[in-house]
Amino acid sequence: MIKMLEGIFVPHVTPFDEEEKINRDILTELIQYFEDVGITGFVTLGSNGEFPYLNLSEKLDVLEIVRNSTKKPVIAGVTENSTKETLELARKAWDIGVDALLIAPPFYFKPRDSEIFAHYSLIAGKIDAPVIIYNVPKFTGINIGLEIIERLVYEHSNIMGIKDSSGSIGRIVELIRRVGNEIAVLAGTADVILPALLLGASGAVVAIANVAPRLCVELYNAFTEMKLERAKKLQILINQLNEVLVKKLNQVSAIKEAMNMRGLAVGYPRMPSLPLSENEVREVERVLIETGLL
C-alpha cells in the first residue's frame, strides 16, 4: 500500500465558472492533462481544491468526477472541523471509490494534543480505509506533534502516510527516522522535494504541480535515475516558482492565475479569495517566463 504513494501527486484545483459553480468539463479535462504529463495520482479537495469553500454536495460531486475520470490513485481530502463530520465525509468518499483519505486537524477551535490524537484515532478506528495525516500549519495553525503521529502510526495499521507541509526539512527527517519504516512520508511543499527524497521520503504532494507538473515529474524521475545534477537544476526552477506563487502571493489565486496563463481555463477562486491585482498578475507572468513555462 505504501508503494501507491511513491511519486508526484497533484493537489489539484477545483475549477469554477464565472458564477463560482464547479466547472465539470474543465475538471475532467484537467485530470486528463495531468495524466498525460505523467502525474502519479491526484489529491482531490486538498488546500488548493478550496475545500473549506465547498459544501458537502459539491465535495462529493468533485470526488465523483475525478474518480470517474482516472484509474490512477485518488486521495480524497476529507477535513472537517468536527470529528463527526469528518467521519461522515470520509465514509461517503470511501463509498465513491477513492484510494485513501487525507485528513488535516480541525482548525477553528485549536485542539489540544490529546484532542488531535482522539480525533484521528476515532476516525482511523471506525473506517476501513487508508488514512494519510495532513500536517499543514500554514493554514491550520497547528504543527502536529511528532509524538502524536508516532503513536497514531503504531496504534492504527490503516494510517499509511503523512503529507508534511511544514516546510521544515529537519521535521521531515525526524518523521522518516521515527515512522519512515511504517508509513510513507510525503513532502508537502515544493521547495523541499529533492532534499526530502534524498533523505527517504517516498514522494511529494505540492501546489506547484498544478502549474508545472512536468517539472515536478521530471525532478522525481531524475532522482530515481540518480541524475542528481539534473534533479538539482529542476529543484531550483521549482523553488523560483514556489517563492512567488505559494510564498509571496495568495496561493490559490496565484496558482489559478498561472494555470489560466498556461491555457488551463480553471477560472478564479471563490470569494472571499480575490483574483490578483494587475501588478501581481505581471509578477506571475514574469516568473512563468523566467522559468520557461510561458
Side-chain angles (χ1 to χ4, degrees):
M1 186 62 78
I2 291 175
K3 194 163 180 64
M4 184 187 87
L5 293 179
E6 292 178 355
I8 300 295
F9 289 76
V10 57
H12 64 85
V13 302
T14 302
F16 297 127
D17 63 20
E18 291 178 358
E19 296 177 348
E20 293 194 352
K21 293 178 181 175
I22 294 164
N23 193 326
R24 302 171 63 91
D25 291 341
I26 294 295
L27 179 54
T28 303
E29 290 174 15
L30 199 58
I31 299 306
Q32 187 59 57
Y33 164 73
F34 287 131
E35 276 205 357
D36 290 346
V37 299
I39 284 289
T40 303
F42 301 90
V43 173
T44 304
L45 304 179
S47 301
N48 297 280
E50 297 176 73
F51 75 86
Y53 298 161
L54 303 183
N55 63 35
L56 177 59
S57 173
E58 289 174 320
K59 288 175 182 176
L60 298 178
D61 194 23
V62 169
L63 286 170
E64 285 184 347
I65 292 166
V66 176
R67 179 69 288 171
N68 292 335
S69 300
T70 184
K71 289 186 168 63
K72 290 198 172 189
V74 176
I75 299 165
V78 295
T79 301
E80 299 287 352
N81 259 316
S82 77
T83 307
K84 183 176 183 294
E85 286 196 344
T86 304
L87 187 57
E88 179 187 356
L89 179 55
R91 284 174 168 151
K92 290 180 187 301
W94 188 239
D95 287 345
I96 285 170
V98 303
D99 298 283
L101 308 169
L102 180 74
I103 307 174
F107 51 87
Y108 184 79
F109 297 114
K110 293 295 181 282
R112 297 170 294 173
D113 285 354
S114 59
E115 292 166 333
I116 293 172
F117 176 83
H119 176 73
Y120 280 105
S121 189
L122 185 140
I123 294 163
K126 283 189 175 286
I127 190 162
D128 186 24
V131 171
I132 300 167
I133 297 168
Y134 184 15
N135 185 55
V136 57
K138 173 180 175 178
F139 295 132
T140 64
I142 297 166
N143 208 14
I144 305 171
L146 295 167
E147 293 76 15
I148 298 172
I149 293 164
E150 191 171 15
R151 186 178 165 199
L152 285 167
V153 166
Y154 285 101
E155 290 189 19
H156 296 280
S157 60
N158 60 326
I159 293 179
M160 63 176 289
I162 179 164
K163 178 193 174 192
D164 190 87
S165 298
S166 67
S168 166
I169 195 65
R171 179 184 161 92
I172 289 172
V173 170
E174 188 62 7
L175 282 167
I176 291 166
R177 184 183 75 80
R178 292 188 183 210
V179 296
N181 290 330
E182 302 294 326
I183 66 169
V185 177
L186 298 162
T189 55
D191 50 0
V192 298
I193 298 174
L194 182 57
L197 290 172
L198 286 166
L199 290 159
S202 65
V205 183
V206 292
I208 291 299
N210 280 286
V211 177
R214 273 197 182 87
L215 290 182
C216 295
V217 170
E218 285 176 20
L219 169 54
Y220 180 78
N221 291 340
F223 163 75
T224 60
E225 295 164 11
M226 282 292 107
K227 296 176 180 174
L228 296 185
E229 284 305 314
R230 172 69 177 152
K232 285 182 204 173
K233 288 176 183 175
L234 289 164
Q235 180 67 74
I236 290 167
L237 271 182
I238 288 166
N239 268 45
Q240 189 176 352
L241 289 164
N242 197 66
E243 285 295 314
V244 175
L245 302 181
V246 173
K247 290 188 173 181
K248 184 173 183 180
L249 303 176
N250 176 313
Q251 178 175 323
V252 176
S253 301
I255 292 290
K256 281 191 162 179
E257 184 65 56
M259 294 175 78
N260 290 333
M261 285 182 183
R262 299 206 68 213
L264 304 166
V266 295
Y268 297 94
R270 267 194 182 167
M271 287 188 71
S273 295
L274 294 172
L276 301 181
S277 69
E278 285 184 26
N279 286 341
E280 289 171 331
V281 168
R282 282 195 289 272
E283 193 160 6
V284 169
E285 185 177 34
R286 176 187 58 76
V287 77
L288 291 181
I289 290 169
E290 287 180 358
T291 52
L293 295 178
L294 270 187

